[in-house]
Amino acid sequence: TKQLIDSRDGKEYWVAKLADGNCWMTQNLAYDLKAGQKLTSADTDITVGGTWTVPAEGTTSGEVPEKKNTPSATTAYSWNLGWPYVLKTPAIRTDCSANSGDNFEQCDNLQPVKGWRPTWVAQDLVEDNKSSYSAINVIERTYDAHYVLGNFYQWEAATAGSGHSVSGTSAGAESDPAKFNEAPQSICPKGWGLPKSGKNLVESSALYGLPYDRDDSFYALVKAYGYGVDQVEYVPNNGNAYTAILTNGLQNVFEAPMYFVVNGLIHPIDGYMAKVGFTGGYWSSTPFATGPYVNYLSMNNDSYAMALADGFSGWHAIEVRCLAR
């Protein structure tokens, strides 16, 4: 485990080598965008033309809910919901929805920590034998930065403008993963990118368009901690497209070393945030077989369930965990 600094804005992130052998950010990405901003391959995961210019709607907003009348698979909205908020109790299910205009202050499980110190700063102060910082006791006024909510991104924003041009499964992808298309770039720092979805936690089939890839993917990560079964071992559950397979003794995904956050989602068409502290989702680079949908890592705080889910509309806004290339 180490702490790295994003050279683009100075924000700090915990990273760790996890059981799948890959290096992951163990915090949610919180990189703000601004309309007209040019992201380049010099410091960002940009591979198409060397530059992505953030579109007119692309400035990261701090307002929730904020209704967007015309979001689509090509819009690149994102939200920074009041840096920083953290979940007080990451492993306790609490549904904080904002369908009726609620905001973060009305969500009991969300803690505003403005003026508090993240764990690494507090640790540094303790090691230097300093017990206070600006008259605030750093032992009492600290937070675990792993649980900062981070930013919510539409898929087009998360893929740095490349998502809309990527189609789903090509013919024969189930037997040849090389034929499965992936978004080629992301807003992750250079040397990092969006993970693939990998093979689903259920039977993979041409119907669902899910690849057999396991390296550098969400599937490889959750499989390493005991989630999911191989295709030959799995009996489909009532024909559902995906199901989380649970066994006793699984690693708690909301604690060390993965520190996933049940961050909910933003529904920009109707202008609300929902299910914060209840369910969570993270974008992959992998589009669904048909339509403007994307495979993503889904989880449920009630049962520590995880599933690689398909069919999530790219115009929803969820969060990003970057994977070292």
Side-chain angles (χ1 to χ4, degrees):
T1 297
K2 293 186 180 296
Q3 181 206 350
L4 299 183
I5 298 174
D6 189 339
S7 62
R8 301 173 299 179
D9 59 7
K11 288 182 179 176
E12 300 155 310
Y13 297 94
W14 286 118
V15 303
K17 186 176 182 180
L18 300 182
D20 64 336
N22 289 314
C23 186
W24 291 79
M25 284 186 180
T26 52
Q27 280 182 251
N28 297 342
L29 186 68
Y31 184 61
D32 293 338
L33 300 171
K34 186 176 181 179
Q37 175 185 5
K38 294 185 182 299
L39 302 183
T40 73
S41 57
D43 57 11
T44 306
D45 179 37
I46 301 295
T47 60
V48 180
T51 302
W52 178 54
T53 302
V54 180
E57 78 279 0
T59 297
T60 298
S61 173
E63 299 180 28
V64 174
E66 182 181 23
K67 188 171 183 178
K68 303 293 186 183
N69 293 321
T70 58
S72 68
T74 63
T75 53
Y77 293 112
S78 63
W79 287 261
N80 177 337
L81 303 180
W83 175 272
Y85 275 86
V86 299
L87 288 174
K88 294 179 185 177
T89 53
I92 296 178
R93 173 178 173 173
T94 304
D95 187 359
C96 296
S97 298
N99 303 45
S100 59
D102 293 348
N103 56 41
F104 274 174
E105 286 74 16
Q106 294 168 296
C107 180
D108 291 338
N109 199 32
L110 283 169
Q111 175 68 62
V113 292
K114 184 177 181 180
W116 293 29
R117 298 295 153 190
T119 47
W120 59 76
V121 173
Q123 184 64 36
D124 289 344
L125 291 172
V126 171
E127 290 176 352
D128 290 340
N129 296 317
K130 297 178 181 178
S131 61
S132 64
Y133 186 93
S134 300
I136 296 176
N137 187 300
V138 297
I139 303 303
E140 295 180 358
R141 301 296 299 274
T142 62
Y143 62 93
D144 188 340
H146 289 98
Y147 296 117
V148 172
L149 288 188
N151 288 13
F152 290 69
Y153 303 94
Q154 291 186 318
W155 197 54
E156 183 74 356
T159 60
S162 65
H164 74 277
S165 62
V166 182
S167 60
T169 306
S170 299
E174 283 303 303
S175 59
D176 182 3
K179 296 180 181 179
F180 200 90
N181 297 318
E182 304 284 340
Q185 62 189 29
S186 74
I187 57 170
C188 292
K190 184 176 182 178
W192 298 75
L194 292 177
K196 298 177 181 179
S197 66
K199 182 179 179 291
N200 205 337
L201 301 193
V202 299
E203 182 182 33
S204 184
S205 70
L207 173 63
Y208 301 125
L210 300 170
Y212 283 103
D213 291 341
R214 298 189 181 188
D215 296 333
D216 301 335
S217 69
F218 276 130
Y219 180 85
L221 175 63
V222 297
K223 177 71 173 179
Y225 289 98
Y227 292 83
V229 294
D230 290 330
Q231 179 184 6
V232 294
E233 301 169 348
Y234 180 70
V235 177
N237 179 19
N238 299 323
N240 290 339
Y242 56 89
T243 302
I245 307 302
L246 301 177
T247 60
N248 292 331
L250 288 180
Q251 174 69 42
N252 184 338
V253 301
F254 308 110
E255 296 178 354
M258 287 183 280
Y259 293 104
F260 279 111
V261 180
V262 278
N263 42 39
L265 60 91
I266 290 178
H267 191 297
I269 289 180
D270 293 332
Y272 64 78
M273 142 187 107
K275 300 185 182 299
V276 177
F278 182 76
T279 62
Y282 291 87
W283 289 125
S284 78
S285 62
T286 312
F288 185 49
T290 59
Y293 305 111
V294 184
N295 297 325
Y296 69 108
L297 182 69
S298 174
M299 60 194 67
N300 186 313
N301 205 6
D302 183 37
S303 60
Y304 305 119
M306 300 185 74
L308 289 171
D310 55 46
F312 201 62
S313 298
W315 47 259
H316 282 98
I318 55 176
E319 304 209 2
V320 166
R321 284 282 176 98
C322 299
L323 170 69
R325 294 295 193 188

